[in-house]
Amino acid sequence: MQAIMKTKPEKGFEIKEISEPQITHSNEVKIKIDVASICGTDHHMWVYDQWAQKRLPPAIPFVAGHETGATVVEIGSDVKNIQVGDKVSVECHEADGTCYQCRSDRMHVCRNTKIFGVDKNGIFAEYAVIPELNAWKNDDDLDPALASIQDPLGNAIHTVLPKDNLEDIAGKNVLVTGCGPIGLMSIPVLKMLGAGQVFATAGGNNMQRLNMAKEMGADLVLNAREDGDKIPKIIRDATNGDGIDILLEMSGNTHALSQGLEALTLGGRVSLLGFFSGPITLDINSLMISKAANVYGIAGRRMFQTWQVMRGLLKSKELQNKLKKLITHRVNMSDWEKGMIEIHEKRAIKVVMDPFK
Amino acid sequence: MQAIMKTKPEKGFEIKEISEPQITHSNEVKIKIDVASICGTDHHMWVYDQWAQKRLPPAIPFVAGHETGATVVEIGSDVKNIQVGDKVSVECHEADGTCYQCRSDRMHVCRNTKIFGVDKNGIFAEYAVIPELNAWKNDDDLDPALASIQDPLGNAIHTVLPKDNLEDIAGKNVLVTGCGPIGLMSIPVLKMLGAGQVFATAGGNNMQRLNMAKEMGADLVLNAREDGDKIPKIIRDATNGDGIDILLEMSGNTHALSQGLEALTLGGRVSLLGFFSGPITLDINSLMISKAANVYGIAGRRMFQTWQVMRGLLKSKELQNKLKKLITHRVNMSDWEKGMIEIHEKRAIKVVMDPFK
Amino acid sequence: MQAIMKTKPEKGFEIKEISEPQITHSNEVKIKIDVASICGTDHHMWVYDQWAQKRLPPAIPFVAGHETGATVVEIGSDVKNIQVGDKVSVECHEADGTCYQCRSDRMHVCRNTKIFGVDKNGIFAEYAVIPELNAWKNDDDLDPALASIQDPLGNAIHTVLPKDNLEDIAGKNVLVTGCGPIGLMSIPVLKMLGAGQVFATAGGNNMQRLNMAKEMGADLVLNAREDGDKIPKIIRDATNGDGIDILLEMSGNTHALSQGLEALTLGGRVSLLGFFSGPITLDINSLMISKAANVYGIAGRRMFQTWQVMRGLLKSKELQNKLKKLITHRVNMSDWEKGMIEIHEKRAIKVVMDPFK
Amino acid sequence: MQAIMKTKPEKGFEIKEISEPQITHSNEVKIKIDVASICGTDHHMWVYDQWAQKRLPPAIPFVAGHETGATVVEIGSDVKNIQVGDKVSVECHEADGTCYQCRSDRMHVCRNTKIFGVDKNGIFAEYAVIPELNAWKNDDDLDPALASIQDPLGNAIHTVLPKDNLEDIAGKNVLVTGCGPIGLMSIPVLKMLGAGQVFATAGGNNMQRLNMAKEMGADLVLNAREDGDKIPKIIRDATNGDGIDILLEMSGNTHALSQGLEALTLGGRVSLLGFFSGPITLDINSLMISKAANVYGIAGRRMFQTWQVMRGLLKSKELQNKLKKLITHRVNMSDWEKGMIEIHEKRAIKVVMDPFK
């Protein structure tokens, strides 16, 4: 079969002909890739940035990719709740299942986790083999392109709902700082969960994102370049002086974080998803301690409560239609490089790929 | 001023001319009633049923009513966050503020609570005086008729979201058993909060309610008379065998409760709002214990988290439009008896009253 | 090897000579039984009561027992966090790992669960083979007899702490209704978690249990036969009129449940562990709904948060010493019937068995 | 009566003769001060540091102090749950009761809060008048000196248990960074709540505090000066490689915070109480985001859940005895300056004052 692979410790990917993967453990399933999509992580791997140089060498050469809508074509003898023909997506974190974290409902931060398409073969190929646990059964009628982008959508939902019983969105005012793909996806999710007002900020050099934030349903979109330090006051004025109840930090920008915390109501809640370029300096006294803020670091998606919430939310045609707008480009896997360049040039939001012709 | 009063320990209300209430404590506000609505409790009081016979005598004679949209016309010297001209509704539970429950975020079950229009003068009149804490400031542009029905809407929201951090609605399947006013109101609230599928059951003798449940947005409405014991199976089949995640019991009917619990997924959640006619018999072993059910008794509305959620949700025109459909009758206070009879005959869902001409 | 087996669909167990179990899946471990203990479930199986008649036939003949302190003697090739020589206990619920419940932190109510010693071979033998996930690594220096009774201790802890972040014991007043082994174990656990006052009730025909409740650290032990309906008042008087914050129902007795709920403070919390003899009749209006009670059905132990809490608590020598008092009898496996009869006659609390000589 | 007052915008306090305060609102109570204690805040006020220069001028001149054990000598006509003769302590935050925060169980961060002894007259005097809500009724037999230090003890408990339903201490490993009075108090509280291992770090220049940490019950006390950057490894080695479950940051030291976060297990929990000298620089990517940390800013004490927990915990003589050890100095109010200097020189942990002779 053909596969898009990281073959060398340097910039780039290559298409290679390799043999089909086979089930070797009784709890595995073999899937046929119907659609794949390109994640920001794939872009880091392609660029071969600092993170990639540190993380990838042990696995090279390997098949890239982890976002997919696929069909089960074979199952191992101990597979219990998946059948041949099932439509599935892939949770890309393979957890060990028995460490301290896995045994306490924190499998998404398993300390021995391996990521498909990063630490071992991924899904930019015709077939892949994964454990049953990593195969998430989709509703049969879910568009495979939407099925494929559940990985970043799951990040968005996890940022919105970081824990069980912390779905404090109903009627609350929320600020999303940063309008990359995940930030944008969080906006219609917030609106679906009954958020009061949703504010969004973006850098301002990318009008596509500012416009898309509006289209996703944000009540007020602020241009960080133009509105700058006035943002907390603008938000406070729009919320009866209360400020926002919830901050979703998706930008990895220190100013955005500070402004967001400044706009936060006393006792409010913060999710941190965006990575910063390095250590940051923050007035933690006034912005976290006196503010009685509750701050959650967000990694991956909860396995699998986030997916369960996602299944329910994706029953909404309105949400589906909004998410489709975020799929700005669609190419064949053989043209993967075109898609990658659209992402690199920040012209694309999500790029979806059809299987090799 | 004129007032609709409970004047004698027997069936009925009377309109009386009484003097306007005055502010006597520095933390009180005086309000002018713009709109009032009739609660099921008012109906019990009018009928003078067993509950009423036991509860009301100490307060007779008193002004009935507690659901209202009103305007602040005067404030006491220590009032801090309410101003003359503010549009307000009334939280009808006057808590003592310092008991064990009040000091631990359970003011809605204050052990010394007094209810306006039940234990002391209410708001079926031209004016009323209440503590600042019981005056809930509405958005200025909220229709007073909608402002007035926030009391039952708050019950519905409290049933949906019984605690802080228990807003596990997103993507979940929910069954509402019982389609009285509060059950019906819970349906659009659930849909706003991202529920997956919403099922509703009603007794079947009242097609208005079954039709209204559909109109409120229920995905599947079941007629308890016709579908009977098949209800758990119907629901299980519609939910991939999982059953419902959440049961909102609004009927006070033992069969409905048993069927709802049977349809509940292992580890699911239940809110109990509907009052039963007396002690009930239940297979608690299989329906609660082995099922690992989490069951919440619901009383009133949380003071004031439920109101805060409600303010946010009411910003939605879609929710407003659905709620307006539930206001099936509108009369002048002088014609209160017409409205009461519509409720008594179960032809009305909510009856709203305009001030005395 | 020798094993205590359920060989026929009738009263009794038999010692049989069978071949040692072998690892057949790469994720399994083989354990040598150092100590076993007799559970109430084993007693039901021995008596062959109604429950047993319904549940056991598919598995007969099988090795009984599931409570043990054991040593790992062999591991499969995919075992990751367990080593040969590790001291382990057994979580007796074998979950499928991929159903709706397992994928949402409710593995203890997996809908396809199998129980060792009930649905398949257990551990009243020289060796057993179990999945790595079901092997709970103990601290090396934990007495195997204490290791073995972690199954009921885990039930007790789960009843005390039914959910993540619901450890509302600190400084709270708690009532334990029912002083069987699990009820008794909950008492020192409650004291360790900073409970204010701990009340316990027992039937009154068994002075051993009433005395043991006191020895376990209960502040006040009430004899249900003698104190009867006065219990709620006695408790209310001892708690400044507030009543208990938390009720742990361990008796399966309807009067105990009603009295406990009556003694509960408004907005209090209830865990239901004890099984009732059949459907029960309860005034749910006043005892659950108006009371705004939060009620949790308890099944098994959380996998594995309960075990993690248990590991921490068992570091306390004080707790260890109290638990040792509950081990009233110790016999060799070849004398299992002596132990069983002590349980049957209600003279034993916990019976621990040493390996076949 | 005599009072210790802040009379001028400069260093120092003065004893003045002023008239007794009188009840002016019907919801107030008048208390006689039996014992008072000196808070770190009082020391800042005495020194007149930057914070004091900014905060105090509007209230000068005013009576200092807010920690006390007192007796109610008079009550207003609307006081409901307090009686003359009751023993009380003072919650020093006077909230407005009706703002957004107060109406959502966050009264401790009321946006219009006033603090007794900072923004208005305090309790370093013979009498004080406070609202009923701010009077916390103690158990009658509680030593007034212990009653008085409930203010910092409440801070400690709030840091340990930041929210309802977040009492995840049972069996968990905890690190306390910083052994000032509040850090020290948290140690016996943690042990009472069933913590597994409790680690404590202190600066190392103050052997009294390191020794006291041990005496309070810490399992391992680390000297930050000597152990320095090895602290995370030492802790990880002592916890089976898991690291700590919970970090209580009490030092306001950036290194302590970084080391604590490094030692935190994936998905662990952090409470931040200690104030830093200014903005801090932190590798938030690895220490909060990838770590999936849950971080809570802690301000004051919850009103009044923290007090309710504290009442229950203080029933333990063992806790009382440990807390008494922290009262290192006791003086008469007329000798307040001696006590203040002991604090200033860091020779005292808590200084308790008896009423003017």
Side-chain angles (χ1 to χ4, degrees), chain A residues 91-93 95 101 104-110 133 136 150-151 153-167 273 296-310, chain B residues 168 172, chain C residues 102-106 164-165 302 305, chain D residues 292 294:
Chain A
E91 165 53 58
C92 65
H93 292 83
Q101 270 65 27
S104 53
D105 192 26
R106 288 175 283 185
M107 192 177 271
H108 63 294
V109 287
C110 166
L133 187 63
W136 177 258
Q150 285 181 100
D151 183 284
L153 179 60
N155 287 132
I157 293 172
H158 188 193
T159 311
V160 171
L161 306 175
K163 294 180 80 91
D164 264 347
N165 303 334
L166 197 89
E167 309 183 14
L273 179 84
Y296 296 87
I298 306 295
R301 291 150 300 280
R302 298 185 68 209
M303 294 167 69
F304 287 85
Q305 292 96 325
T306 303
W307 289 89
Q308 291 175 342
V309 168
M310 189 152 46
Chain B
D168 50 357
K172 299 297 193 298
Chain C
C102 285
R103 285 182 188 262
S104 53
D105 192 28
R106 289 175 283 185
D164 264 347
N165 302 332
R302 297 185 68 208
Q305 291 95 326
Chain D
N294 301 345

Coordinates of all heavy atoms in Angstrom, one line a residue, chain A residues 91-93 95 101 104-110 133 136 150-151 153-167 273 296-310, chain B residues 168 172, chain C residues 102-106 164-165 302 305, chain D residues 292 294:
Chain A
E91 N -8.6 7.6 18.3 CA -8.0 8.4 19.4 C -6.5 8.1 19.3 O -6.1 6.9 19.4 CB -8.6 7.9 20.7 CG -7.8 8.4 21.9 CD -7.5 9.9 22.0 OE1 -8.4 10.6 22.0 OE2 -6.3 10.2 22.0
C92 N -5.7 9.1 19.1 CA -4.3 8.9 18.7 C -3.4 8.5 19.9 O -2.2 8.2 19.6 CB -3.7 10.0 17.9 SG -3.6 11.6 18.8
H93 N -3.9 8.6 21.1 CA -3.0 8.3 22.2 C -3.2 6.8 22.6 O -4.3 6.4 23.0 CB -3.4 9.2 23.5 CG -3.0 10.6 23.3 ND1 -3.8 11.5 22.6 CD2 -1.9 11.3 23.7 CE1 -3.2 12.7 22.6 NE2 -2.1 12.6 23.3
A95 N -2.5 4.4 25.3 CA -2.1 4.4 26.7 C -1.8 3.0 27.1 O -2.2 2.0 26.5 CB -3.3 4.9 27.5
Q101 N -2.0 7.0 36.2 CA -2.9 7.8 35.5 C -4.0 7.1 34.9 O -5.2 7.4 35.0 CB -2.2 8.7 34.5 CG -1.6 10.0 35.0 CD -0.5 9.9 36.0 OE1 0.2 8.9 36.1 NE2 -0.3 10.9 36.9
S104 N -6.8 6.0 37.0 CA -7.6 7.0 37.8 C -8.2 8.0 36.8 O -8.1 9.2 37.0 CB -6.7 7.7 38.8 OG -5.5 8.2 38.3
D105 N -8.7 7.5 35.7 CA -9.5 8.4 34.8 C -8.7 9.5 34.2 O -9.2 10.6 34.0 CB -10.8 8.9 35.5 CG -11.7 9.5 34.5 OD1 -11.7 9.1 33.4 OD2 -12.5 10.4 34.9
R106 N -7.4 9.3 34.0 CA -6.6 10.3 33.4 C -5.7 9.6 32.3 O -4.6 9.9 32.1 CB -5.6 10.9 34.4 CG -6.3 11.8 35.4 CD -5.4 12.4 36.5 NE -5.1 11.3 37.5 CZ -4.4 11.5 38.6 NH1 -3.9 12.7 38.8 NH2 -4.2 10.6 39.4
M107 N -6.4 8.7 31.6 CA -5.7 8.0 30.5 C -5.1 8.9 29.5 O -4.1 8.6 28.8 CB -6.7 7.0 29.9 CG -6.1 5.9 29.0 SD -7.4 4.8 28.4 CE -7.4 3.6 29.7
H108 N -5.7 10.1 29.3 CA -5.2 11.0 28.3 C -3.8 11.6 28.6 O -3.2 12.2 27.8 CB -6.2 12.1 28.0 CG -6.5 13.0 29.2 ND1 -7.1 12.5 30.3 CD2 -6.2 14.3 29.4 CE1 -7.2 13.5 31.2 NE2 -6.7 14.6 30.7
V109 N -3.4 11.4 29.9 CA -2.0 11.8 30.3 C -1.3 10.6 30.8 O -0.5 10.7 31.7 CB -2.0 13.0 31.2 CG1 -2.3 14.3 30.5 CG2 -2.9 12.8 32.4
C110 N -1.6 9.4 30.3 CA -0.9 8.2 30.6 C 0.6 8.5 30.5 O 1.1 9.1 29.5 CB -1.2 7.1 29.6 SG -0.1 5.7 29.6
L133 N -9.6 -0.3 21.7 CA -9.8 0.9 22.6 C -9.6 2.2 21.9 O -10.3 3.2 22.2 CB -8.9 0.8 23.8 CG -9.2 1.9 24.9 CD1 -10.6 1.7 25.5 CD2 -8.2 1.8 26.0
W136 N -12.8 4.6 17.8 CA -14.0 5.2 18.3 C -15.1 5.1 17.2 O -15.0 5.6 16.1 CB -13.8 6.7 18.5 CG -15.1 7.4 19.0 CD1 -15.9 8.2 18.2 CD2 -15.7 7.3 20.2 NE1 -17.0 8.6 18.9 CE2 -16.9 8.0 20.2 CE3 -15.4 6.6 21.4 CZ2 -17.8 8.1 21.2 CZ3 -16.3 6.7 22.5 CH2 -17.5 7.4 22.4
Q150 N -12.5 15.1 14.3 CA -12.9 15.0 15.7 C -11.7 15.1 16.6 O -11.8 15.3 17.8 CB -13.6 13.7 15.9 CG -15.0 13.7 15.4 CD -15.7 12.3 15.7 OE1 -16.5 12.2 16.6 NE2 -15.4 11.3 14.9
D151 N -10.5 14.9 16.1 CA -9.3 15.0 16.9 C -9.2 16.5 17.4 O -9.2 16.7 18.7 CB -8.1 14.6 16.1 CG -6.8 14.6 16.9 OD1 -6.2 15.7 17.1 OD2 -6.3 13.5 17.3
L153 N -11.5 18.8 17.2 CA -12.8 19.1 17.8 C -12.8 18.6 19.2 O -13.3 19.3 20.1 CB -13.9 18.5 17.0 CG -15.4 18.8 17.5 CD1 -15.7 20.3 17.6 CD2 -16.4 18.1 16.7
G154 N -12.2 17.5 19.4 CA -12.2 16.9 20.8 C -11.3 17.8 21.7 O -11.6 18.0 22.8
N155 N -10.2 18.3 21.1 CA -9.4 19.3 21.9 C -10.2 20.4 22.3 O -10.2 20.9 23.5 CB -8.2 19.8 21.1 CG -7.1 18.8 20.9 OD1 -6.6 18.6 19.8 ND2 -6.7 18.1 21.9
A156 N -11.0 20.9 21.4 CA -11.9 22.1 21.7 C -12.9 21.8 22.8 O -13.0 22.5 23.7 CB -12.6 22.6 20.4
I157 N -13.5 20.6 22.6 CA -14.5 20.2 23.6 C -13.9 20.0 25.0 O -14.4 20.4 26.0 CB -15.3 19.0 23.2 CG1 -16.1 19.4 21.9 CG2 -16.2 18.4 24.3 CD1 -16.8 18.2 21.2
H158 N -12.7 19.4 25.0 CA -12.0 19.2 26.3 C -11.6 20.5 26.9 O -11.7 20.7 28.1 CB -10.7 18.4 26.0 CG -10.0 17.9 27.2 ND1 -8.7 17.4 27.2 CD2 -10.3 17.9 28.5 CE1 -8.3 17.1 28.4 NE2 -9.3 17.4 29.2
T159 N -11.3 21.5 26.1 CA -10.9 22.8 26.7 C -12.2 23.5 27.3 O -12.1 24.1 28.3 CB -10.3 23.7 25.5 OG1 -9.3 23.0 24.9 CG2 -9.8 25.0 26.1
V160 N -13.3 23.3 26.6 CA -14.6 23.8 27.1 C -15.0 23.1 28.3 O -15.5 23.7 29.3 CB -15.6 23.7 26.0 CG1 -17.0 24.1 26.5 CG2 -15.3 24.6 24.8
L161 N -14.9 21.8 28.4 CA -15.3 20.9 29.5 C -14.2 20.1 30.0 O -14.1 18.9 29.7 CB -16.4 20.0 29.0 CG -17.6 20.6 28.2 CD1 -18.5 19.5 27.7 CD2 -18.4 21.5 29.1
P162 N -13.3 20.7 30.8 CA -12.1 20.0 31.2 C -12.3 18.8 32.1 O -11.4 18.0 32.2 CB -11.3 21.1 31.9 CG -12.2 22.2 32.2 CD -13.4 22.1 31.3
K163 N -13.4 18.7 32.8 CA -13.5 17.6 33.8 C -15.0 17.2 33.7 O -15.9 17.9 33.3 CB -13.2 18.1 35.2 CG -11.8 18.5 35.4 CD -11.6 18.9 36.9 CE -11.5 17.8 37.8 NZ -10.1 17.3 38.0
D164 N -15.2 16.0 34.3 CA -16.6 15.6 34.6 C -17.2 16.6 35.4 O -16.5 17.2 36.4 CB -16.5 14.3 35.5 CG -16.7 13.1 34.7 OD1 -17.0 13.1 33.5 OD2 -16.4 12.0 35.3
N165 N -18.4 16.9 35.2 CA -19.2 17.7 36.1 C -18.5 19.1 36.2 O -18.4 19.7 37.3 CB -19.2 17.1 37.5 CG -19.9 15.8 37.5 OD1 -20.6 15.5 36.6 ND2 -19.5 14.9 38.4
L166 N -18.0 19.6 35.1 CA -17.5 20.9 35.1 C -18.0 21.6 33.9 O -17.3 22.3 33.1 CB -16.0 21.0 35.2 CG -15.6 22.4 35.6 CD1 -15.5 22.5 37.1 CD2 -14.3 22.8 35.0
E167 N -19.2 21.4 33.6 CA -19.8 21.9 32.3 C -20.6 23.1 32.7 O -21.7 23.3 32.4 CB -20.7 20.8 31.7 CG -20.0 19.5 31.6 CD -20.8 18.4 31.0 OE1 -21.8 18.7 30.4 OE2 -20.3 17.2 31.1
L273 N -4.9 25.8 26.8 CA -4.6 24.8 25.7 C -3.4 25.3 24.9 O -2.5 24.5 24.6 CB -5.8 24.6 24.8 CG -5.5 23.6 23.7 CD1 -5.7 22.2 24.2 CD2 -6.3 23.9 22.4
Y296 N -7.1 25.2 34.6 CA -7.0 23.8 34.1 C -6.0 23.7 32.9 O -6.3 24.4 31.9 CB -8.3 23.2 33.7 CG -9.3 23.1 34.8 CD1 -10.1 24.2 35.2 CD2 -9.3 22.0 35.6 CE1 -11.0 24.1 36.3 CE2 -10.2 21.9 36.7 CZ -11.0 23.0 37.0 OH -11.8 22.9 38.1
G297 N -4.9 23.0 33.1 CA -4.1 22.7 31.9 C -4.8 21.6 31.1 O -5.3 20.6 31.6
I298 N -4.8 21.8 29.8 CA -5.6 20.9 28.9 C -4.6 20.1 28.0 O -3.8 20.7 27.3 CB -6.5 21.6 28.0 CG1 -7.5 22.5 28.8 CG2 -7.3 20.6 27.1 CD1 -8.4 21.7 29.7
A299 N -4.6 18.8 28.0 CA -3.8 18.0 27.1 C -4.7 16.9 26.5 O -5.4 16.2 27.1 CB -2.7 17.3 28.0
G300 N -4.7 16.9 25.2 CA -5.4 15.9 24.4 C -6.9 15.9 24.6 O -7.5 17.0 24.8
R301 N -7.5 14.8 24.6 CA -9.0 14.7 24.8 C -9.2 13.6 25.9 O -8.4 12.6 26.0 CB -9.6 14.1 23.6 CG -9.7 15.1 22.4 CD -9.6 14.3 21.1 NE -8.4 13.5 21.0 CZ -7.2 13.9 20.7 NH1 -7.1 15.1 20.3 NH2 -6.2 13.1 20.7
R302 N -10.2 13.7 26.7 CA -10.5 12.7 27.7 C -10.9 11.4 27.0 O -11.6 11.4 26.1 CB -11.5 13.2 28.7 CG -11.1 14.5 29.5 CD -12.1 14.9 30.5 NE -12.1 13.9 31.5 CZ -13.2 13.6 32.3 NH1 -14.3 14.2 32.1 NH2 -13.1 12.7 33.2
M303 N -10.3 10.3 27.6 CA -10.6 9.0 27.0 C -11.5 8.2 27.9 O -11.0 7.6 28.8 CB -9.2 8.3 26.8 CG -8.3 9.0 25.7 SD -6.6 8.5 25.7 CE -6.8 6.8 25.1
F304 N -12.8 8.3 27.5 CA -13.4 8.8 26.3 C -14.6 9.7 26.5 O -15.4 9.8 25.6 CB -13.7 7.6 25.4 CG -12.5 6.9 24.8 CD1 -11.9 5.9 25.6 CD2 -12.0 7.3 23.6 CE1 -10.8 5.3 25.1 CE2 -10.9 6.6 23.1 CZ -10.3 5.6 23.8
Q305 N -14.6 10.3 27.7 CA -15.8 11.2 27.9 C -15.9 12.3 26.9 O -17.0 12.7 26.5 CB -15.7 11.8 29.3 CG -15.9 10.8 30.4 CD -14.6 10.3 31.0 OE1 -13.6 10.2 30.2 NE2 -14.5 10.0 32.3
T306 N -14.7 12.9 26.5 CA -14.8 13.9 25.5 C -15.4 13.4 24.2 O -16.3 14.1 23.6 CB -13.4 14.5 25.2 OG1 -12.8 15.0 26.4 CG2 -13.5 15.6 24.2
W307 N -15.1 12.2 23.8 CA -15.6 11.6 22.6 C -17.1 11.3 22.7 O -17.9 11.5 21.8 CB -14.9 10.3 22.3 CG -13.5 10.4 21.8 CD1 -12.4 10.4 22.5 CD2 -13.1 10.5 20.4 NE1 -11.3 10.5 21.7 CE2 -11.7 10.6 20.4 CE3 -13.7 10.6 19.2 CZ2 -10.9 10.7 19.3 CZ3 -13.0 10.7 18.0 CH2 -11.6 10.8 18.1
Q308 N -17.5 11.0 23.9 CA -19.0 10.7 24.1 C -19.8 12.0 24.0 O -20.9 12.0 23.4 CB -19.2 10.0 25.5 CG -18.6 8.6 25.5 CD -18.7 7.9 26.9 OE1 -18.8 8.6 27.9 NE2 -18.5 6.6 26.9
V309 N -19.2 13.1 24.6 CA -19.9 14.4 24.4 C -19.9 14.7 23.0 O -21.0 15.2 22.4 CB -19.2 15.4 25.2 CG1 -19.7 16.8 24.9 CG2 -19.3 15.2 26.7
M310 N -18.8 14.5 22.3 CA -18.7 14.9 20.9 C -19.7 14.1 20.0 O -20.3 14.7 19.1 CB -17.3 14.6 20.4 CG -16.9 15.1 19.0 SD -15.2 15.4 18.8 CE -14.4 14.0 19.5
Chain B
D168 N -23.9 18.0 33.3 CA -23.5 16.9 32.4 C -24.5 16.7 31.3 O -24.9 15.6 31.1 CB -23.2 15.7 33.2 CG -24.4 15.3 34.1 OD1 -25.4 16.1 34.1 OD2 -24.4 14.3 34.8
K172 N -25.6 14.3 26.0 CA -26.2 13.2 26.7 C -27.6 13.0 26.3 O -28.3 13.9 25.9 CB -26.2 13.5 28.2 CG -24.8 13.6 28.8 CD -24.0 12.4 28.7 CE -22.7 12.4 29.5 NZ -21.8 13.5 29.1
Chain C
C102 N -17.2 1.5 30.5 CA -15.8 1.5 30.7 C -15.1 2.7 30.1 O -14.0 3.1 30.5 CB -15.2 0.2 30.0 SG -15.5 -1.3 31.0
R103 N -15.7 3.2 29.0 CA -15.1 4.4 28.4 C -15.5 5.7 29.1 O -15.1 6.8 28.6 CB -15.5 4.4 26.9 CG -14.8 3.4 26.0 CD -15.3 3.6 24.5 NE -14.8 2.6 23.6 CZ -13.7 2.7 22.8 NH1 -13.0 3.8 22.8 NH2 -13.4 1.7 22.0
S104 N -16.1 5.6 30.2 CA -16.5 6.9 30.9 C -16.3 6.7 32.4 O -17.2 7.2 33.1 CB -17.9 7.3 30.5 OG -18.9 6.2 30.8
D105 N -15.2 6.1 32.8 CA -14.9 6.1 34.2 C -15.9 5.4 35.1 O -16.1 5.8 36.2 CB -14.6 7.5 34.7 CG -13.9 7.5 36.0 OD1 -13.2 6.5 36.3 OD2 -14.1 8.5 36.8
R106 N -16.6 4.4 34.5 CA -17.6 3.6 35.3 C -17.3 2.1 35.1 O -18.3 1.4 34.9 CB -19.0 4.0 34.9 CG -19.4 5.4 35.3 CD -20.8 5.7 34.8 NE -20.7 6.1 33.4 CZ -21.8 6.5 32.7 NH1 -22.9 6.7 33.2 NH2 -21.6 6.9 31.4
D164 N -15.3 10.9 42.4 CA -14.2 11.8 42.5 C -14.8 13.1 43.0 O -15.9 13.5 42.7 CB -13.8 12.2 41.0 CG -12.7 11.4 40.5 OD1 -12.0 10.7 41.3 OD2 -12.5 11.4 39.3
N165 N -13.9 13.7 43.9 CA -14.3 15.0 44.3 C -15.6 15.0 45.0 O -16.4 16.0 44.8 CB -14.3 16.0 43.1 CG -13.0 16.0 42.4 OD1 -12.0 15.8 43.0 ND2 -13.0 16.3 41.1
R302 N -14.6 1.6 42.8 CA -14.2 2.3 41.6 C -12.9 1.7 41.1 O -12.0 1.4 41.9 CB -14.1 3.8 41.9 CG -15.5 4.3 42.2 CD -15.4 5.8 42.4 NE -15.2 6.4 41.1 CZ -14.5 7.5 40.9 NH1 -14.1 8.2 41.9 NH2 -14.3 8.0 39.6
Q305 N -9.8 4.2 41.4 CA -9.6 5.3 42.3 C -9.8 4.8 43.8 O -9.1 5.3 44.7 CB -10.6 6.4 42.0 CG -10.3 7.2 40.7 CD -11.1 6.7 39.6 OE1 -11.4 5.5 39.5 NE2 -11.4 7.6 38.7
Chain D
A292 N -1.5 18.8 32.6 CA -2.9 18.8 32.9 C -3.2 19.1 34.4 O -4.0 18.5 35.0 CB -3.5 17.4 32.5
N294 N -4.6 21.1 37.6 CA -5.7 21.9 38.1 C -5.2 22.9 39.2 O -4.8 22.4 40.2 CB -6.8 21.0 38.7 CG -7.3 20.0 37.7 OD1 -7.0 20.1 36.5 ND2 -8.0 19.0 38.2

